[in-house]
Amino acid sequence: MKISEEIKALNLPDTLTFADGRPVTAENWEKRRREIIRIFEDNEYGHSPKGPFTVSGKVVSDRDNDYANKVLTEHCLVTSHDETEGVDFSWPVVLHTPKKALADGKCPLIVFINFRDQTPDSYMPVEEITDSGVAVAMIYYNDISKDEHDNWSTGVAALYDRAKYDWSKIGMWAWSMQRTLDYCMSLGRYDESRIGSLGHSRLGKTSLWNGANDTRFKYVFVNDSGCSGDAVTRHKTGETVEIISRVFPHWFNGVYRSYSDREDEMPFDQHMLVAAVAPRYVYGGTAVEDTWADPYSQYMSYYLANSVYAMLGMKTAEFPDRRPEINEVFAGPSCGYHMRAGAHFLSRYDWQRYIAVLTR
Ligand code: GTR
């Protein structure tokens, strides 16, 4: 069956039609993009504080001869001051910057949110990343607010009034990626045209929400994010809105759970969030054995995002009108997707594909 036919049968809300029925054009796309973000704020991830923020940082320890004298490693403590609410919050960031790239001029940077605070890490092959001329800024997600249904009592969650900000943990983690970028850009070393966002799984959902919101992220890499990330929710295999919002209620706002077992009635689906990155680059990494996430429902989102890039007059990816196969990589000029062999993981293979796009 053609993927376009599978998609048609799902009767999805149309990215290229405003909520009031007006058609979307290249001229009003930015307006539609903002409308999509609002839909996801209201229905899924909640409303995050909008600042303005003053962000500063200090280097707690550093080594300028890391990885055979090729890498500058800095362990930093970054502080965000919210000027509207008068709230201060600090968290650690580890920065690895390739020294050669620094000497040659500004280098690309990936802001990476991780499951662990160690470096290197099985999800972050530092030497390989920096050898490719890319810097990486790593945040440990539990430093921002614990991945627990803790009644919003830990980390940054505890500092903001819930009556005003119904933000979810995914919203908080995404916010920390933006504030980390504030700090990194203040250093004057990173190339603003090649800033990437990356996370895996629940943090892949976070990377997508971050990248849709903050247009400074020119490359949004979304690894194995699945349900409530980049997978079309309607009729996907594996995890559903009912399961995810029951098991992980803290990842979402209070409204999302009301869509349990009524995905077909949602005025949105996740393909709209993937498309909301356009005209910037969005890339989904998936794995064939990751049926819980559902690589085919993930493919649908990128396949559909192509119509937005086309409408904007941009070059699109060559996504075939069928299900993807193992090890197929479609790294198009404006959007990408791959389905690697194996299971749920953030592998070297995934990093290599993302870096290839960021540095080409
Ligand atoms: C699973 C969850 C997925 C995915 C994964 C992860 O338990 O059902 O949505 O996010 O965790 O983050 O590792």
Side-chain angles (χ1 to χ4, degrees):
M1 194 175 180
K2 289 183 167 179
I3 203 85
S4 56
E5 286 167 11
E6 287 193 53
I7 290 171
K8 206 163 167 222
L10 295 177
N11 213 1
L12 296 173
D14 183 11
T15 307
L16 293 179
T17 307
F18 280 94
D20 66 6
R22 278 178 306 132
V24 174
T25 63
E27 288 64 44
N28 62 25
W29 167 243
E30 181 54 23
K31 225 170 155 204
R32 172 62 172 157
R33 226 181 60 73
R34 285 172 195 276
E35 181 177 70
I36 291 171
I37 304 271
R38 275 199 304 278
I39 291 170
F40 281 90
E41 282 178 337
D42 293 346
N43 291 287
E44 191 165 345
Y45 307 109
H47 300 80
S48 301
K50 301 280 187 291
F53 304 97
T54 314
V55 174
S56 56
K58 60 176 185 220
V59 179
V60 178
S61 69
D62 62 354
R63 280 187 306 274
D64 72 354
N65 59 355
D66 234 1
Y67 296 93
N69 200 18
K70 293 179 295 185
V71 175
L72 169 64
T73 294
E74 296 158 300
H75 290 260
C76 314
L77 188 70
V78 175
T79 300
S80 163
H81 172 69
D82 184 327
E83 291 173 23
T84 304
E85 301 293 346
V87 163
D88 283 7
F89 181 68
S90 302
W91 64 99
V93 173
V94 183
L95 251 179
H96 293 291
T97 307
K99 286 163 67 174
K100 181 171 182 308
L102 262 189
D104 292 349
K106 293 188 175 182
C107 74
L109 170 73
I110 292 180
V111 178
F112 171 54
I113 187 153
N114 200 7
F115 284 87
R116 290 166 293 270
D117 61 358
Q118 66 202 31
T119 175
D121 180 69
S122 56
Y123 282 173
M124 188 177 68
V126 176
E127 188 171 8
E128 190 158 347
I129 297 165
T130 49
D131 276 351
S132 66
V134 174
V136 61
M138 187 192 82
I139 313 160
Y140 170 46
Y141 80 141
N142 274 321
D143 281 337
I144 308 307
S145 184
K146 290 250 180 304
D147 185 8
E148 286 166 19
H149 191 31
D150 57 5
N151 202 22
W152 318 108
S153 61
T154 58
V156 73
L159 303 177
Y160 282 90
D161 181 1
R162 283 302 296 173
K164 224 165 149 184
Y165 305 104
D166 66 338
W167 54 340
S168 58
K169 298 280 173 151
I170 286 178
M172 294 171 201
W173 301 327
W175 170 90
S176 77
M177 298 181 84
Q178 293 159 27
R179 303 290 73 78
T180 296
L181 183 61
D182 292 343
Y183 170 65
C184 293
M185 294 318 284
S186 75
L187 301 174
R189 315 170 174 150
Y190 304 111
D191 176 354
E192 61 183 34
S193 69
R194 286 183 296 165
I195 301 296
S197 167
L198 173 63
H200 165 65
S201 203
R202 67 199 68 183
L203 300 175
K205 310 181 211 297
T206 301
S207 177
L208 177 58
W209 181 232
N210 169 52
N213 274 279
D214 189 332
T215 57
R216 293 174 302 168
F217 289 90
K218 304 296 185 212
Y219 293 83
V220 180
F221 302 118
V222 184
N223 200 76
D224 294 1
S225 72
C227 188
S228 315
D230 63 1
V232 169
T233 320
R234 283 163 168 83
H235 299 269
K236 72 182 287 302
T237 62
E239 197 167 32
T240 61
V241 174
E242 192 283 318
I243 297 170
I244 201 169
S245 63
R246 173 167 46 79
V247 180
F248 304 107
H250 53 290
W251 291 356
F252 307 102
N253 72 354
V255 178
Y256 193 51
R257 190 130 182 224
S258 69
Y259 292 110
S260 295
D261 297 324
R262 30 178 225 111
E263 279 98 338
D264 286 334
E265 292 165 48
M266 299 193 306
F268 61 94
D269 209 320
Q270 301 300 129
H271 67 294
M272 290 163 61
L273 191 60
V274 170
V277 177
R280 292 164 296 127
Y281 204 102
V282 65
Y283 188 130
T286 76
V288 68
E289 291 172 24
D290 194 3
T291 52
W292 189 242
D294 188 357
Y296 306 114
S297 295
Q298 293 173 279
Y299 182 62
M300 288 180 186
S301 291
Y302 297 91
Y303 184 89
L304 283 167
N306 246 356
S307 60
V308 176
Y309 293 105
M311 184 273 299
L312 294 172
M314 297 171 68
K315 284 205 179 116
T316 57
E318 291 188 12
F319 293 134
D321 192 357
R322 58 164 170 77
R323 290 187 163 203
E325 286 162 16
I326 298 182
N327 284 332
E328 279 192 318
V329 179
F330 309 115
S334 48
C335 179
Y337 171 95
H338 68 245
M339 187 173 77
R340 75 166 156 71
H344 192 71
F345 192 70
L346 175 51
S347 69
R348 291 169 71 247
Y349 178 95
D350 299 311
W351 275 98
Q352 285 164 351
R353 304 283 84 67
Y354 304 143
I355 287 170
V357 162
L358 186 63
T359 57
R360 69 188 177 188

